[in-house]
Protein backbone atom coordinates (compact mmCIF):
# COMPACT_ATOMS: atom_id res chain seq x y z
CA UNK A 1 0.00 0.00 0.00
CA UNK A 2 1.28 3.43 -0.86
CA UNK A 3 0.43 6.34 1.34
CA UNK A 4 1.17 9.07 -1.17
CA UNK A 5 -2.30 8.74 -2.68
CA UNK A 6 -3.98 9.66 0.58
CA UNK A 7 -4.39 13.27 1.48
CA UNK A 8 -2.24 14.69 4.21
CA UNK A 9 -3.84 15.03 7.62
CA UNK A 10 -5.55 18.34 8.42
CA UNK A 11 -3.49 20.47 10.78
CA UNK A 12 -6.28 20.52 13.38
CA UNK A 13 -6.35 16.70 13.45
CA UNK A 14 -2.57 16.52 13.85
CA UNK A 15 -2.68 19.10 16.66
CA UNK A 16 -5.46 17.35 18.51
CA UNK A 17 -3.92 13.88 18.13
CA UNK A 18 -0.62 15.15 19.54
CA UNK A 19 -2.43 17.00 22.28
CA UNK A 20 -4.18 13.79 23.37
CA UNK A 21 -0.89 11.91 23.37
CA UNK A 22 0.84 14.60 25.41
CA UNK A 23 -2.00 15.23 27.85
CA UNK A 24 -3.10 11.76 28.85
CA UNK A 25 -1.34 9.26 31.08
CA UNK A 26 -2.92 6.45 29.11
CA UNK A 27 -1.92 5.64 25.51
CA UNK A 28 -4.35 7.08 22.98
CA UNK A 29 -7.16 5.48 21.09
CA UNK A 30 -9.61 8.08 19.91
CA UNK A 31 -11.90 9.15 17.12
CA UNK A 32 -11.41 12.71 15.92
CA UNK A 33 -14.10 14.33 13.80
CA UNK A 34 -13.24 17.37 11.69
CA UNK A 35 -16.58 19.20 11.79
CA UNK A 36 -15.53 22.17 9.59
CA UNK A 37 -14.48 19.65 6.92
CA UNK A 38 -17.82 17.85 7.29
CA UNK A 39 -19.60 21.19 6.84
CA UNK A 40 -17.63 22.00 3.66
CA UNK A 41 -18.24 18.49 2.32
CA UNK A 42 -22.01 18.52 2.81
CA UNK A 43 -22.21 22.03 1.35
CA UNK A 44 -20.45 20.71 -1.75
CA UNK A 45 -22.82 17.73 -1.97
CA UNK A 46 -25.95 19.84 -1.70
CA UNK A 47 -24.66 22.59 -4.00
CA UNK A 48 -24.55 20.09 -6.91
CA UNK A 49 -28.13 18.89 -6.49
CA UNK A 50 -30.54 19.74 -9.30
CA UNK A 51 -33.31 22.01 -8.06
CA UNK A 52 -36.07 20.14 -6.29
CA UNK A 53 -33.87 17.09 -5.60
CA UNK A 54 -33.38 16.53 -1.90
CA UNK A 55 -30.57 15.15 0.23
CA UNK A 56 -31.39 13.29 3.43
CA UNK A 57 -28.63 11.88 5.66
CA UNK A 58 -28.93 8.23 6.74
CA UNK A 59 -27.88 8.68 10.35
CA UNK A 60 -27.02 5.04 10.94
CA UNK A 61 -23.66 5.83 9.30
CA UNK A 62 -22.88 8.06 12.31
CA UNK A 63 -25.49 9.61 14.57
CA UNK A 64 -23.27 11.41 17.08
CA UNK A 65 -24.98 14.65 18.11
CA UNK A 66 -22.24 17.06 16.92
CA UNK A 67 -22.35 15.49 13.44
CA UNK A 68 -26.13 15.84 13.23
CA UNK A 69 -25.89 19.45 14.45
CA UNK A 70 -23.25 20.19 11.79
CA UNK A 71 -25.29 18.60 9.00
CA UNK A 72 -28.72 19.90 10.01
CA UNK A 73 -28.44 23.36 8.39
CA UNK A 74 -27.47 21.79 5.04
CA UNK A 75 -29.43 18.57 4.53
CA UNK A 76 -33.17 18.37 3.82
CA UNK A 77 -33.77 15.77 6.48
CA UNK A 78 -32.64 12.61 8.22
CA UNK A 79 -33.30 8.94 7.46
CA UNK A 80 -33.61 6.77 10.57
CA UNK A 81 -34.14 3.06 11.20
CA UNK A 82 -34.87 2.58 14.90
CA UNK A 83 -36.44 4.06 18.00
CA UNK A 84 -32.96 4.94 19.26
CA UNK A 85 -32.31 6.91 16.10
CA UNK A 86 -35.63 8.76 16.49
CA UNK A 87 -34.35 9.90 19.89
CA UNK A 88 -31.09 11.09 18.29
CA UNK A 89 -32.97 13.15 15.74
CA UNK A 90 -35.37 14.50 18.38
CA UNK A 91 -32.38 15.81 20.38
CA UNK A 92 -31.06 17.83 17.45
CA UNK A 93 -31.57 21.56 18.05
CA UNK A 94 -32.95 22.04 14.53
CA UNK A 95 -36.09 20.06 13.74
CA UNK A 96 -35.73 18.58 10.27
CA UNK A 97 -38.10 16.23 8.47
CA UNK A 98 -37.23 12.60 9.11
CA UNK A 99 -38.21 9.36 7.38
CA UNK A 100 -38.29 5.89 8.87
CA UNK A 101 -36.99 2.80 7.00
CA UNK A 102 -35.79 -0.62 7.94
CA UNK A 103 -36.99 -4.13 8.66
CA UNK A 104 -38.52 -5.17 11.98
CA UNK A 105 -39.92 -1.83 13.07
CA UNK A 106 -41.45 -2.19 16.54
CA UNK A 107 -44.98 -0.96 17.22
CA UNK A 108 -43.45 1.22 19.94
CA UNK A 109 -40.99 2.71 17.41
CA UNK A 110 -43.75 3.41 14.91
CA UNK A 111 -45.82 5.11 17.64
CA UNK A 112 -42.82 7.16 18.71
CA UNK A 113 -42.14 8.10 15.06
CA UNK A 114 -45.74 9.26 14.58
CA UNK A 115 -45.64 11.20 17.84
CA UNK A 116 -42.46 12.91 16.66
CA UNK A 117 -44.10 13.82 13.35
CA UNK A 118 -42.31 11.42 10.99
CA UNK A 119 -42.67 12.76 7.43
CA UNK A 120 -42.80 9.41 5.63
CA UNK A 121 -42.70 5.84 6.83
CA UNK A 122 -41.01 3.56 4.30
CA UNK A 123 -43.07 0.38 4.66
CA UNK A 124 -41.15 -2.83 4.13
CA UNK A 125 -43.76 -5.61 4.11
CA UNK A 126 -47.49 -6.29 3.81
CA UNK A 127 -47.59 -7.07 7.53
CA UNK A 128 -45.97 -3.75 8.35
CA UNK A 129 -48.55 -1.90 6.24
CA UNK A 130 -51.34 -3.53 8.27
CA UNK A 131 -49.64 -2.76 11.59
CA UNK A 132 -48.91 0.84 10.67
CA UNK A 133 -52.50 1.34 9.50
CA UNK A 134 -53.76 0.08 12.86
CA UNK A 135 -51.32 2.25 14.84
CA UNK A 136 -52.11 5.38 12.83
CA UNK A 137 -55.81 4.61 13.31
CA UNK A 138 -55.43 4.33 17.10
CA UNK A 139 -53.57 7.63 17.08
CA UNK A 140 -56.18 9.29 14.89
CA UNK A 141 -53.68 10.02 12.09
CA UNK A 142 -53.38 9.64 8.37
CA UNK A 143 -49.74 8.72 7.86
CA UNK A 144 -47.99 9.32 4.51
CA UNK A 145 -45.91 6.36 3.39
CA UNK A 146 -43.52 5.28 0.68
CA UNK A 147 -43.58 1.63 -0.26
CA UNK A 148 -40.07 0.22 -0.33
CA UNK A 149 -39.61 -1.85 -3.46
CA UNK A 150 -37.24 -4.78 -3.86
CA UNK A 151 -37.18 -4.64 -7.64
CA UNK A 152 -36.15 -7.44 -9.96
CA UNK A 153 -33.00 -5.71 -11.21
CA UNK A 154 -31.73 -6.60 -14.66
CA UNK A 155 -28.66 -8.85 -14.30
CA UNK A 156 -26.19 -6.19 -15.45
CA UNK A 157 -27.31 -3.94 -12.58
CA UNK A 158 -27.40 -6.55 -9.83
CA UNK A 159 -24.08 -6.94 -8.00
CA UNK A 160 -22.74 -8.97 -5.15
CA UNK A 161 -23.29 -6.01 -2.84
CA UNK A 162 -26.80 -5.12 -3.88
CA UNK A 163 -29.44 -4.76 -1.21
CA UNK A 164 -32.19 -5.62 -3.67
CA UNK A 165 -32.85 -7.66 -6.79
CA UNK A 166 -32.65 -10.95 -4.88
CA UNK A 167 -34.00 -12.46 -1.68
CA UNK A 168 -33.62 -9.87 1.12
CA UNK A 169 -35.59 -8.85 4.22
CA UNK A 170 -35.87 -5.35 2.71
CA UNK A 171 -38.84 -4.01 0.82
CA UNK A 172 -41.60 -5.59 -1.18
CA UNK A 173 -41.10 -7.61 -4.37
CA UNK A 174 -42.53 -6.13 -7.53
CA UNK A 175 -44.92 -9.11 -7.82
CA UNK A 176 -46.51 -8.03 -4.53
CA UNK A 177 -46.46 -4.33 -5.30
CA UNK A 178 -50.02 -4.06 -6.60
CA UNK A 179 -51.22 -5.82 -3.45
CA UNK A 180 -49.16 -3.49 -1.26
CA UNK A 181 -50.53 -0.41 -3.02
CA UNK A 182 -54.08 -1.70 -2.60
CA UNK A 183 -53.48 -2.43 1.09
CA UNK A 184 -52.22 1.12 1.69
CA UNK A 185 -55.14 2.58 -0.23
CA UNK A 186 -57.67 0.48 1.67
CA UNK A 187 -56.48 1.96 4.96
CA UNK A 188 -58.16 5.27 5.83
CA UNK A 189 -55.13 5.96 8.02
CA UNK A 190 -52.40 5.68 5.37
CA UNK A 191 -51.64 7.78 2.30
CA UNK A 192 -49.39 6.58 -0.52
CA UNK A 193 -46.92 9.31 -1.50
CA UNK A 194 -44.49 7.24 -3.55
CA UNK A 195 -41.82 4.59 -3.61
CA UNK A 196 -38.46 3.97 -2.00
CA UNK A 197 -35.57 1.86 -3.27
CA UNK A 198 -32.24 1.41 -1.57
CA UNK A 199 -30.63 -1.22 -3.75
CA UNK A 200 -26.88 -0.73 -3.42
CA UNK A 201 -24.10 -0.19 -1.02
CA UNK A 202 -20.41 0.54 -1.69
CA UNK A 203 -21.20 1.77 -5.20
CA UNK A 204 -18.07 3.51 -6.46
CA UNK A 205 -18.92 3.45 -10.16
CA UNK A 206 -21.03 6.49 -10.97
CA UNK A 207 -21.94 5.19 -14.42
CA UNK A 208 -23.49 2.10 -12.88
CA UNK A 209 -25.33 4.25 -10.37
CA UNK A 210 -26.64 6.40 -13.20
CA UNK A 211 -27.87 3.28 -15.02
CA UNK A 212 -29.66 2.24 -11.86
CA UNK A 213 -31.28 5.64 -11.42
CA UNK A 214 -32.31 5.71 -15.08
CA UNK A 215 -33.81 2.26 -14.67
CA UNK A 216 -35.86 3.50 -11.67
CA UNK A 217 -37.06 6.49 -13.68
CA UNK A 218 -38.00 4.23 -16.60
CA UNK A 219 -39.98 2.02 -14.22
CA UNK A 220 -41.56 4.94 -12.35
CA UNK A 221 -44.65 5.35 -14.58
CA UNK A 222 -45.57 1.67 -14.24
CA UNK A 223 -45.17 1.70 -10.46
CA UNK A 224 -47.13 4.91 -10.19
CA UNK A 225 -49.89 3.55 -12.41
CA UNK A 226 -50.67 0.95 -9.73
CA UNK A 227 -52.24 3.69 -7.60
CA UNK A 228 -55.94 4.48 -7.81
CA UNK A 229 -55.00 8.13 -8.27
CA UNK A 230 -51.43 8.27 -9.65
CA UNK A 231 -51.39 12.08 -9.34
CA UNK A 232 -51.01 11.68 -5.56
CA UNK A 233 -47.90 9.54 -5.99
CA UNK A 234 -45.06 12.01 -6.37
CA UNK A 235 -42.02 10.95 -4.38
CA UNK A 236 -39.18 8.64 -5.43
CA UNK A 237 -36.58 8.03 -2.76
CA UNK A 238 -33.59 6.57 -4.59
CA UNK A 239 -31.74 5.55 -1.40
CA UNK A 240 -28.06 5.87 -0.63
CA UNK A 241 -25.24 3.43 -1.23
CA UNK A 242 -22.69 5.71 -2.89
CA UNK A 243 -19.34 4.21 -2.01
CA UNK A 244 -16.15 5.55 -0.52
CA UNK A 245 -12.81 4.50 -1.98
CA UNK A 246 -10.81 3.54 1.09
CA UNK A 247 -7.90 2.16 -0.90
CA UNK A 248 -7.34 4.66 -3.68
CA UNK A 249 -8.21 8.08 -5.01
CA UNK A 250 -11.26 7.06 -7.12
CA UNK A 251 -14.05 8.67 -5.11
CA UNK A 252 -17.68 8.47 -6.21
CA UNK A 253 -18.34 11.20 -8.78
CA UNK A 254 -21.31 12.87 -7.12
CA UNK A 255 -21.17 15.90 -9.46
CA UNK A 256 -21.49 13.60 -12.46
CA UNK A 257 -24.56 11.89 -10.97
CA UNK A 258 -26.16 15.27 -10.27
CA UNK A 259 -25.37 16.61 -13.76
CA UNK A 260 -26.92 13.54 -15.33
CA UNK A 261 -30.02 13.81 -13.18
CA UNK A 262 -30.40 17.53 -13.95
CA UNK A 263 -30.31 16.80 -17.68
CA UNK A 264 -32.77 13.95 -17.37
CA UNK A 265 -35.15 16.00 -15.20
CA UNK A 266 -34.94 18.90 -17.66
CA UNK A 267 -36.21 16.53 -20.38
CA UNK A 268 -39.03 15.44 -18.07
CA UNK A 269 -39.83 18.98 -16.97
CA UNK A 270 -43.00 19.37 -18.95
CA UNK A 271 -44.11 15.95 -17.86
CA UNK A 272 -46.34 16.16 -14.81
CA UNK A 273 -45.41 12.57 -14.08
CA UNK A 274 -41.82 13.36 -13.11
CA UNK A 275 -41.20 12.35 -9.51
CA UNK A 276 -39.72 14.48 -6.76
CA UNK A 277 -36.41 12.74 -6.14
CA UNK A 278 -34.67 12.32 -2.85
CA UNK A 279 -31.34 10.65 -1.98
CA UNK A 280 -30.40 9.37 1.45
CA UNK A 281 -26.69 8.50 1.58
CA UNK A 282 -24.91 7.83 4.84
CA UNK A 283 -21.34 6.77 4.09
CA UNK A 284 -20.73 9.38 1.39
CA UNK A 285 -21.71 12.14 3.82
CA UNK A 286 -19.85 11.28 7.01
CA UNK A 287 -16.96 8.93 6.13
CA UNK A 288 -14.37 11.56 5.30
CA UNK A 289 -14.58 13.70 8.44
CA UNK A 290 -13.49 10.96 10.87
CA UNK A 291 -10.01 9.82 11.96
CA UNK A 292 -9.18 6.91 14.23
CA UNK A 293 -5.99 7.53 16.20
CA UNK A 294 -4.03 4.71 17.79
CA UNK A 295 -0.82 4.95 19.78
CA UNK A 296 1.87 2.33 19.13
CA UNK A 297 2.38 0.09 22.20
CA UNK A 298 4.80 -2.50 20.87
CA UNK A 299 6.80 -3.30 17.73
CA UNK A 300 7.61 -6.93 17.14
CA UNK A 301 8.48 -9.57 14.61
CA UNK A 302 6.94 -12.99 14.23
CA UNK A 303 7.82 -15.64 11.65
CA UNK A 304 9.24 -13.07 9.27
CA UNK A 305 6.42 -10.48 9.60
CA UNK A 306 6.38 -7.19 11.46
CA UNK A 307 3.56 -6.18 13.79
CA UNK A 308 2.81 -2.74 15.22
CA UNK A 309 0.61 -3.45 18.24
CA UNK A 310 -1.49 -0.41 19.00
CA UNK A 311 -3.88 0.92 21.63
CA UNK A 312 -7.46 0.11 20.57
CA UNK A 313 -8.26 -2.21 17.68
CA UNK A 314 -11.07 -3.60 15.58
CA UNK A 315 -13.40 -3.63 18.62
CA UNK A 316 -13.38 0.17 18.29
CA UNK A 317 -12.89 0.51 14.54
CA UNK A 318 -14.41 -2.58 13.00
CA UNK A 319 -14.74 -1.18 9.48
CA UNK A 320 -11.55 -2.68 7.95
CA UNK A 321 -12.33 -6.12 9.43
CA UNK A 322 -16.00 -5.89 8.44
CA UNK A 323 -15.10 -5.03 4.86
CA UNK A 324 -12.00 -7.20 4.69
CA UNK A 325 -9.75 -4.41 3.49
CA UNK A 326 -6.38 -2.99 4.50
CA UNK A 327 -7.21 0.45 5.83
CA UNK A 328 -4.82 3.28 4.95
CA UNK A 329 -2.60 4.33 7.84
CA UNK A 330 -0.74 7.59 8.28
CA UNK A 331 2.19 7.82 10.66
CA UNK A 332 2.44 10.71 13.07
CA UNK A 333 5.73 10.59 14.97
CA UNK A 334 5.27 11.79 18.52
CA UNK A 335 7.44 14.89 19.04
CA UNK A 336 10.28 14.35 21.46
CA UNK A 337 9.81 10.59 21.32
CA UNK A 338 13.25 9.17 22.00
CA UNK A 339 12.29 5.52 21.61
CA UNK A 340 14.24 3.47 19.04
CA UNK A 341 13.02 3.95 15.46
CA UNK A 342 12.56 1.26 12.81
CA UNK A 343 14.18 1.26 9.36
CA UNK A 344 12.65 3.12 6.43
CA UNK A 345 10.16 1.55 4.04
CA UNK A 346 9.37 -1.64 5.92
CA UNK A 347 6.05 -3.46 5.74
CA UNK A 348 4.03 -3.59 8.93
CA UNK A 349 0.75 -5.16 9.99
CA UNK A 350 -1.11 -2.76 12.24
CA UNK A 351 -3.00 -4.67 14.91
CA UNK A 352 -4.91 -3.87 18.09
CA UNK A 353 -5.06 -5.26 21.60
CA UNK A 354 -7.53 -8.09 21.10
CA UNK A 355 -6.61 -11.73 21.68
CA UNK A 356 -7.77 -12.78 18.24
CA UNK A 357 -5.86 -13.00 14.96
CA UNK A 358 -8.73 -11.09 13.34
CA UNK A 359 -7.79 -7.89 15.12
CA UNK A 360 -5.95 -6.49 12.09
CA UNK A 361 -6.51 -2.97 10.77
CA UNK A 362 -4.10 -3.24 7.91
CA UNK A 363 -1.51 -5.64 6.50
CA UNK A 364 1.62 -4.54 4.68
CA UNK A 365 1.48 -0.84 5.49
CA UNK A 366 4.80 0.64 4.40
CA UNK A 367 6.04 2.71 7.32
CA UNK A 368 9.33 4.38 8.10
CA UNK A 369 11.01 5.31 11.35
CA UNK A 370 8.25 3.93 13.54
CA UNK A 371 8.69 4.07 17.32
CA UNK A 372 6.73 2.89 20.34
CA UNK A 373 4.71 5.90 21.47
CA UNK A 374 4.12 7.25 17.94
CA UNK A 375 0.62 7.74 16.62
CA UNK A 376 -1.01 5.98 13.69
CA UNK A 377 -4.00 7.71 12.13
CA UNK A 378 -6.62 5.89 10.09
CA UNK A 379 -8.55 8.38 7.94
CA UNK A 380 -12.06 7.96 6.48
CA UNK A 381 -13.32 6.65 9.82
CA UNK A 382 -16.40 8.86 10.13
CA UNK A 383 -19.01 6.39 8.84
CA UNK A 384 -19.69 2.86 10.08
CA UNK A 385 -16.62 3.14 12.32
CA UNK A 386 -17.10 3.21 16.06
CA UNK A 387 -20.86 2.63 15.93
CA UNK A 388 -20.66 -0.78 14.21
CA UNK A 389 -17.94 -1.98 16.57
CA UNK A 390 -18.00 -4.34 19.54
CA UNK A 391 -16.42 -1.87 21.91
CA UNK A 392 -16.87 -3.85 25.14
CA UNK A 393 -14.98 -6.91 23.96
CA UNK A 394 -12.15 -7.71 26.41
CA UNK A 395 -13.40 -4.92 28.72
CA UNK A 396 -11.09 -2.34 27.24
CA UNK A 397 -12.13 1.24 27.96
CA UNK A 398 -14.08 2.91 25.18
CA UNK A 399 -12.21 5.26 22.86
CA UNK A 400 -12.54 8.98 23.24
CA UNK A 401 -14.52 10.86 20.64
CA UNK A 402 -13.38 14.40 19.99
CA UNK A 403 -15.32 16.76 17.78
CA UNK A 404 -13.13 19.46 16.28
CA UNK A 405 -14.75 22.85 15.83
CA UNK A 406 -13.39 25.64 13.58
CA UNK A 407 -9.86 26.69 14.57
CA UNK A 408 -9.82 23.75 16.92
CA UNK A 409 -8.01 24.45 20.12
CA UNK A 410 -8.47 22.94 23.51
CA UNK A 411 -11.13 25.50 24.29
CA UNK A 412 -13.56 25.06 21.46
CA UNK A 413 -13.25 21.31 21.02
CA UNK A 414 -16.25 19.36 22.17
CA UNK A 415 -15.37 16.05 23.65
CA UNK A 416 -17.55 13.06 24.29
CA UNK A 417 -16.91 9.57 25.48
CA UNK A 418 -20.51 8.50 25.15
CA UNK A 419 -21.67 5.95 22.67
CA UNK A 420 -24.99 5.15 21.17
CA UNK A 421 -24.99 1.70 22.74
CA UNK A 422 -23.95 2.74 26.24
C1 LIG B 1 -28.06 2.14 5.26
C2 LIG B 1 -29.10 2.77 4.46
C3 LIG B 1 -28.82 3.96 3.76
C4 LIG B 1 -27.45 4.56 3.71
O1 LIG B 1 -26.57 3.71 3.06
P1 LIG B 1 -25.08 4.21 2.69
O2 LIG B 1 -24.47 3.03 2.03
O3 LIG B 1 -24.43 4.59 3.96
O4 LIG B 1 -25.25 5.38 1.79
C5 LIG B 1 -29.85 4.56 3.09
N1 LIG B 1 -31.09 4.02 3.08
C6 LIG B 1 -31.39 2.89 3.73
C7 LIG B 1 -32.77 2.36 3.67
C8 LIG B 1 -30.41 2.22 4.43
O5 LIG B 1 -30.69 1.08 5.06
Amino acid sequence: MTQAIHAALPAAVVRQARHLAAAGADPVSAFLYDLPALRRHVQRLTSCLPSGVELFYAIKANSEAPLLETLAPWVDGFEISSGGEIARVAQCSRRLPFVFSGPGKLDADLEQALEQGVELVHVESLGEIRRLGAIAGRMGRRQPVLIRINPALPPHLATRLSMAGGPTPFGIDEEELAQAVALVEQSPHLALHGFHIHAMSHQLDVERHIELLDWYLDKWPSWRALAADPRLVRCLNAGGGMGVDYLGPAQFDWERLCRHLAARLARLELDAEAPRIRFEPGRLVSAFCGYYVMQVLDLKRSHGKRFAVCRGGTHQFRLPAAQGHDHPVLHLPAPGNTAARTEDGEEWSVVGQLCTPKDVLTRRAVLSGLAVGDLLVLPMAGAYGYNISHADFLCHPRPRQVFLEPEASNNNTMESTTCCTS
Side-chain angles (χ1 to χ4, degrees):
M1 172 183 314
T2 61
Q3 290 168 57
I5 52 174
H6 300 296
L9 292 172
V13 170
V14 171
R15 247 192 333 270
Q16 185 61 35
R18 290 198 162 131
H19 168 74
L20 290 177
D26 228 17
V28 178
S29 74
F31 284 88
L32 310 187
Y33 299 102
D34 185 348
L35 298 181
L38 176 64
R39 189 172 298 117
R40 287 192 299 275
H41 179 64
V42 72
Q43 279 178 273
R44 190 179 64 79
L45 294 180
T46 55
S47 70
C48 306
L49 284 172
S51 77
V53 176
E54 292 178 315
L55 187 79
F56 275 48
Y57 170 56
I59 79 166
K60 80 167 184 283
N62 189 326
S63 60
E64 295 294 337
L67 271 78
L68 299 189
E69 293 290 344
T70 302
L71 293 171
W74 304 102
V75 296
D76 294 293
F78 293 125
E79 187 264 350
I80 61 102
S81 295
S82 73
E85 288 190 344
I86 298 170
R88 290 266 163 144
V89 162
Q91 278 156 20
C92 191
S93 65
R94 197 183 274 254
R95 292 310 300 267
L96 293 189
F98 73 97
V99 297
F100 189 5
S101 324
K105 298 181 188 77
L106 301 182
D107 285 0
D109 295 341
L110 288 168
E111 279 163 22
Q112 191 190 349
L114 264 60
E115 269 160 23
Q116 294 288 335
V118 62
E119 185 203 27
L120 290 161
V121 176
H122 299 167
V123 289
E124 306 255 354
S125 73
L126 300 178
E128 192 175 285
I129 295 172
R130 292 190 193 96
R131 277 198 301 129
L132 180 63
I135 289 166
R138 278 204 300 281
M139 295 174 72
R141 301 284 179 83
R142 185 146 192 262
Q143 177 58 46
V145 303
L146 302 187
I147 294 175
R148 179 164 178 182
I149 305 176
N150 179 352
L153 292 170
H156 71 286
L157 290 177
T159 72
R160 191 173 61 85
L161 291 168
S162 84
M163 313 261 306
T168 78
F170 315 118
I172 293 173
D173 289 359
E174 278 184 280
E175 296 83 84
E176 278 190 341
L177 202 52
Q179 199 188 340
V181 169
L183 208 50
V184 170
E185 290 181 337
Q186 278 156 24
S187 170
H189 301 290
L190 301 177
L192 182 65
H193 280 214
F195 298 98
H196 170 236
I197 312 176
H198 172 68
M200 287 288 163
S201 53
H202 304 288
Q203 175 71 277
L204 277 171
D205 183 342
V206 69
E207 301 307 330
R208 283 177 69 87
H209 214 77
I210 284 173
E211 277 184 65
L212 196 63
L213 191 61
D214 278 342
W215 188 80
Y216 299 164
L217 289 167
D218 292 343
K219 294 284 284 196
W220 170 256
S222 66
W223 292 334
R224 193 168 174 263
L226 296 172
D229 184 353
R231 285 169 309 172
L232 302 177
V233 175
R234 297 300 311 277
C235 185
L236 174 63
N237 185 320
M242 299 81 184
V244 163
D245 187 1
Y246 293 99
L247 307 178
Q251 295 306 339
F252 184 86
D253 192 347
W254 174 253
E255 282 91 345
R256 165 94 181 93
L257 179 72
C258 290
R259 273 198 312 277
H260 173 85
L261 187 56
R264 172 121 194 199
L265 290 177
R267 287 199 298 278
L268 286 173
E269 200 166 71
L270 299 175
D271 179 353
E273 292 198 353
R276 280 193 292 110
I277 294 177
R278 174 177 285 178
F279 293 108
E280 50 175 22
R283 188 184 306 273
L284 182 72
V285 175
S286 58
F288 300 101
C289 73
Y291 299 83
Y292 182 50
V293 182
M294 314 173 82
Q295 197 157 12
V296 179
L297 302 175
D298 197 7
L299 295 168
K300 60 182 286 188
R301 275 150 225 260
S302 168
H303 292 263
K305 298 257 181 238
R306 299 180 190 85
F307 291 88
V309 183
C310 301
R311 178 65 152 161
T314 54
H315 57 308
Q316 298 178 352
F317 186 47
R318 203 174 84 90
L319 178 94
Q323 293 189 190
H325 75 215
D326 287 325
H327 208 84
V329 174
L330 295 135
H331 176 207
L332 205 57
N337 186 0
T338 54
R341 300 210 163 264
T342 65
E343 301 291 310
D344 283 357
E346 291 174 335
E347 277 187 359
W348 291 86
S349 284
V350 176
V351 302
Q353 296 174 279
L354 300 183
C355 307
T356 153
K358 294 186 176 166
D359 189 20
V360 181
L361 297 131
T362 194
R363 293 165 191 80
R364 293 182 294 280
V366 178
L367 297 165
S368 298
L370 205 53
V372 169
D374 281 355
L375 299 168
L376 296 179
V377 184
L378 285 69
M380 295 181 277
Y384 306 107
Y386 183 29
N387 68 353
I388 64 160
S389 306
H390 41 298
D392 291 332
F393 189 37
L394 262 83
C395 301
H396 284 299
R398 289 182 168 232
R400 289 165 95 163
Q401 295 202 89
V402 184
F403 301 93
L404 305 173
E405 285 294 338
E407 274 84 59
S409 71
N410 304 335
N411 297 335
N412 55 8
T413 299
M414 286 185 279
E415 186 161 336
S416 155
T417 50
T418 59
C419 169
C420 51
T421 55
S422 59

